[in-house]
Amino acid sequence: RKEVEQDPGPFNVPEGATVAFNCTYSNSASQSFFWYRQDCRKEPKLLMSVYSSGNEDGRFTAQLNRASQYISLLIRDSKLSDSATYLCVVNDGGFKTIFGAGTRLFVKA
Amino acid sequence: NAGVTQTPKFQVLKTGQSMTLQCAQDMNHNSMYWYRQDPGMGLRLIYYSASEGTTDKGEVPNGYNVSRLNKREFSLRLESAAPSQTSVYFCASSDPDRGDGNTIYFGEGSWLTVV
């Protein structure tokens, strides 16, 4: 079993749609959680951290369920510019950071 | 802000050749990393350096060596390149003591092809 698992997609959605990505992780002792965004042939960049109480940044909402070891990302009112690969990332509190393989999103006009 | 800078951006090597990927960060981070990214595999850690003067193996260290030259610079060396090392390489840095959950900042990547 992979340490961080994501649905690879691709997700094809029209502009304005709401789309949700899910991620599961295997290490119950994991301490920090993130979503990164990676554009084609570019480096990953931090999209947002994920907190236990859930958090929102504009059109993006992240949720964490420690009991189920599950992380989600919700994107509302999708824009063409949201097309990218979204990486679920888990850190053990030290130097072990595990990246999921990513979920590809295509937003169509 | 430069952030993390790595060179070269593109390189083609013949099997058996050697090369060094260079990386520097200007964020005064203690920790630096080298990852490789292959289709469907996600990012995999090759080596990391928790602080100046230390280096440790990651998930896929075989065929690579690293040097933490100083706090800013962390290089990755392929001594005898193999086709299996064709990949995109990312240098990264972070500072676990800054209270940001060890957010990792990446360089722009180096595309390496071994023929």
Side-chain angles (χ1 to χ4, degrees):
Chain A
R1 180 186 173 189
K2 292 182 180 178
E3 293 185 78
V4 175
E5 294 204 64
Q6 297 181 248
D7 182 341
F11 285 62
N12 293 288
V13 303
E15 273 187 294
T18 296
V19 61
F21 304 138
N22 302 318
C23 165
T24 58
Y25 60 96
S26 61
N27 183 3
S28 60
S30 297
Q31 297 194 18
S32 302
F33 308 89
F34 309 88
W35 284 100
Y36 276 67
R37 170 191 169 129
Q38 186 172 23
D39 294 299
C40 186
R41 299 183 69 81
K42 298 287 188 181
E43 74 274 23
K45 292 184 179 179
L46 178 68
L47 178 66
M48 60 195 301
S49 300
V50 186
Y51 303 116
S52 297
S53 56
N55 50 296
E56 190 174 300
D57 183 0
R59 298 181 292 107
F60 298 85
T61 301
Q63 297 278 353
L64 169 64
N65 184 323
R66 284 187 182 269
S68 301
Q69 295 178 209
Y70 171 95
I71 307 163
S72 66
L73 177 68
L74 183 76
I75 304 175
R76 292 182 300 277
D77 189 21
S78 298
K79 311 292 185 189
L80 293 175
S81 58
D82 293 334
S83 296
T85 297
Y86 291 84
L87 308 177
C88 177
V89 183
V90 176
N91 175 266
D92 69 351
F95 299 100
K96 187 172 182 181
T97 298
I98 305 297
F99 289 80
T103 299
R104 296 190 71 185
L105 172 66
F106 293 101
V107 181
K108 307 167 294 184
Chain B
N1 291 334
V4 179
T5 303
Q6 58 181 106
T7 58
K9 193 167 179 70
F10 300 99
Q11 184 72 51
V12 178
L13 285 177
K14 293 182 178 178
T15 298
Q17 286 186 317
S18 62
M19 76 160 297
T20 299
L21 299 175
Q22 308 285 354
C23 176
Q25 53 92 10
D26 64 1
M27 295 177 281
N28 202 35
H29 284 166
N30 283 311
S31 304
M32 297 187 72
Y33 312 82
W34 277 104
Y35 288 89
R36 61 178 287 173
Q37 187 175 36
D38 302 291
M41 300 288 290
L43 286 150
R44 292 183 292 169
L45 183 64
I46 304 171
Y47 271 92
Y48 70 97
S49 171
S51 60
E52 185 179 355
T54 69
T55 60
D56 285 285
K57 295 179 180 179
E59 182 184 354
V60 288
N62 291 344
Y64 306 95
N65 285 300
V66 291
S67 294
R68 184 74 183 267
L69 304 171
N70 47 55
K71 189 171 186 178
R72 290 187 65 248
E73 299 174 285
F74 188 40
S75 63
L76 177 72
R77 182 161 179 84
L78 286 70
E79 291 291 352
S80 179
S84 61
Q85 294 179 304
T86 294
S87 188
V88 183
Y89 291 84
F90 288 101
C91 179
S93 70
S94 73
D95 198 325
D97 296 329
R98 290 197 182 178
D100 63 355
N102 203 22
T103 300
I104 295 179
Y105 299 86
F106 288 88
E108 293 185 339
S110 296
W111 273 253
L112 176 65
T113 300
V114 183
V115 297

